[in-house]
Amino acid sequence: MNIYKNVSLKQFSYWRVGGCADFVFVVNSISELKDALDYLYKLELPFLIIGNTSNLLFSGAGVRGGLIKLGPGFSYCDFKHQVVTVGAGIYLPYFVRQCVNNGLSGLEHLIGVPATLGGAVYMNAGSQRKSLSENILSVDSIDKKGNLITRRESDCSFSYRNSIFQLNSEFILSAKIKLQSKSISLIRRECLTILRSRNKKFPRKKPSCGSVFISNPVMYDTYGPPGKIIEDVGLKGFKIGGASISSQHANFIVNEGDATDIDILSLIAIAIEKVKNQTGFQLKSEAKYVTEDCRLMNADAAALALIN
Ligand SMILES: Cc1cc2nc3c(=O)[nH]c(=O)nc-3n(C[C@H](O)[C@H](O)[C@H](O)COP(=O)(O)OP(=O)(O)OC[C@H]3O[C@@H](n4cnc5c(N)ncnc54)[C@H](O)[C@@H]3O)c2cc1C
């Protein structure tokens, strides 16, 4: 196990925002994970498991606790015909490329999502109107007492950008995924088409957490997706401090270089208020906020708490 102290979240996190985390543990096995938990229990510090932090906004005051990250020991994929057992620490775009190389189709829509498999299961990540859960057979996790649990897909309460793991604070260890055989060149072409379209639509060069707000079907039918609505209320390109609502895609908030958590939360709060006033719909965030005391909140709740 590697233990890092006083880790700058501004340098470490995907959005490049945040103070210092007291501890970051990188664990490579279940026993190392248990050791990290023992260490934190002894110090009476709270903890949070993280993936690639591509959906997380960290407090500018840092985190008084321990962040636990799955290391290379959890970054494996074992292919058996059309079923693959995959570790929760694997980087998703790398995993999708391994599926392509094995002539297995089903996860192409995830090729551009900079997540770990664990974070993607937790969020039930997806794109192109597909979700990871459509290919999941089962998920293995461990609870805080060290009990190992295997859940079939139907017991994971998957829904749009949600799963049972957002309620039970278990650590996702691995998943079994089913795929379909297809010609490698066809899958590769599909991945390239998806990547090209994402590269055109989404800001790539500035740090972000992807889409900040989730789509709501009724709102979608009336006004369109969140990005279009935020653009329609005049916020595209709107800037506070070092953060701005992307001028390329208004559902992205980008770090222009020195954004703080407060800049980003303020933009989220303004978008929620303006959209609510003009449409009656309350935007909900996909992004999560990590507080100084290591609690996880939806970023919309953190943003509204800031202004109220
Ligand atoms: C440029 C960009 C594009 C994006 N595009 C998409 C997209 O197309 N579709 C989409 O769905 N998302 C997208 N996202 C958002 C993000 O990648 C997803 O939400 C992803 O699932 C987060 O995974 P992560 O590994 O980064 O998790 P993190 O952001 O580190 O964590 C997210 C949550 O998962 C929990 N978690 C992480 N690992 C585990 C584990 N092993 N066990 C239990 N809980 C865990 C964390 O505690 C946290 O609550 C995008 C983000 C960026 C930056």
Side-chain angles (χ1 to χ4, degrees):
M1 165 171 69
N2 292 318
I3 309 178
Y4 303 91
K5 293 183 184 168
N6 275 326
V7 176
S8 162
L9 293 165
K10 191 170 171 56
Q11 279 164 27
F12 173 85
S13 72
Y14 210 88
W15 226 330
R16 298 278 181 267
V17 171
C20 283
D22 288 348
F23 296 99
V24 174
F25 296 80
V26 179
V27 298
N28 285 302
S29 63
I30 293 176
S31 79
E32 286 190 4
L33 176 58
K34 288 180 177 169
D35 289 346
L37 291 176
D38 283 346
Y39 189 103
L40 287 158
Y41 284 135
K42 272 188 198 132
L43 293 176
E44 295 184 5
L45 283 174
F47 53 83
L48 179 71
I49 183 157
I50 54 168
N52 201 30
T53 69
S54 63
N55 203 37
L56 294 178
L57 175 62
F58 289 97
S59 158
V63 175
R64 306 287 74 79
L67 302 175
I68 301 175
K69 191 169 167 54
L70 302 180
F74 286 95
S75 180
Y76 58 88
C77 48
D78 296 330
F79 289 90
K80 281 215 176 75
H81 307 293
Q82 296 177 326
V83 173
V84 50
T85 305
V86 56
I90 204 166
Y91 183 54
L92 204 53
Y94 169 80
F95 172 51
V96 175
R97 282 200 297 276
Q98 297 310 303
C99 296
V100 176
N101 293 342
N102 280 276
L104 292 169
S105 164
L107 300 182
E108 295 85 316
H109 62 105
L110 293 166
I111 182 79
V113 181
T116 59
L117 191 272
V121 169
Y122 179 96
M123 289 303 298
N124 192 17
S127 77
Q128 317 268 312
R129 298 178 183 273
K130 293 179 184 144
S131 294
L132 173 59
S133 59
E134 289 164 37
N135 291 81
I136 284 187
L137 290 172
S138 64
V139 178
D140 284 355
S141 59
I142 187 167
D143 67 16
K144 285 179 186 166
K145 291 182 186 151
N147 300 308
L148 288 167
I149 300 153
T150 299
R151 279 194 185 77
R152 287 172 304 180
E153 184 275 335
S154 54
D155 295 325
C156 293
S157 307
F158 284 120
S159 60
Y160 179 69
R161 302 295 172 267
N162 208 339
S163 71
I164 198 166
F165 304 101
Q166 297 190 21
L167 293 178
N168 64 17
S169 37
E170 290 169 14
F171 298 84
I172 298 158
L173 301 173
S174 64
K176 266 201 172 56
I177 291 183
K178 63 172 183 313
L179 299 157
Q180 302 85 44
S181 297
K182 203 167 160 181
S183 119
I184 293 183
S185 60
L186 281 181
I187 317 175
R188 202 163 272 156
R189 204 176 306 153
E190 174 70 7
C191 286
L192 279 177
T193 308
I194 291 171
L195 278 177
R196 272 198 208 107
S197 133
R198 289 176 68 95
N199 289 346
K200 247 195 233 158
K201 269 197 296 190
F202 302 146
R204 278 192 315 137
K205 295 198 173 133
K206 294 175 185 165
S208 76
C209 78
S211 297
V212 173
F213 297 105
I214 50 175
S215 194
N216 156 345
V218 185
M219 185 176 80
Y220 188 97
D221 287 345
T222 325
Y223 293 101
K228 177 183 178 301
I229 302 174
I230 296 168
E231 186 174 343
D232 289 347
V233 302
L235 286 174
K236 199 171 187 182
F238 187 74
K239 198 172 170 194
I240 294 183
S244 66
I245 293 185
S246 167
S247 48
Q248 199 176 342
H249 192 299
N251 199 14
F252 280 56
I253 293 180
V254 293
N255 185 347
E256 300 285 354
D258 56 356
T260 64
D261 58 332
I262 305 297
D263 296 339
I264 291 175
L265 291 177
S266 303
L267 284 174
I268 292 175
I270 286 172
I272 292 172
E273 290 222 312
K274 266 208 146 182
V275 168
K276 176 90 194 221
N277 288 341
Q278 295 196 22
T279 68
F281 285 100
Q282 174 122 1
L283 291 171
K284 296 276 174 216
S285 72
E286 187 173 322
K288 315 260 180 214
Y289 182 65
V290 183
T291 64
E292 186 184 5
D293 55 357
C294 209
R295 275 179 307 116
L296 197 66
M297 296 174 78
N298 279 337
D300 54 346
L304 294 176
L306 187 73
I307 54 163
N308 288 322

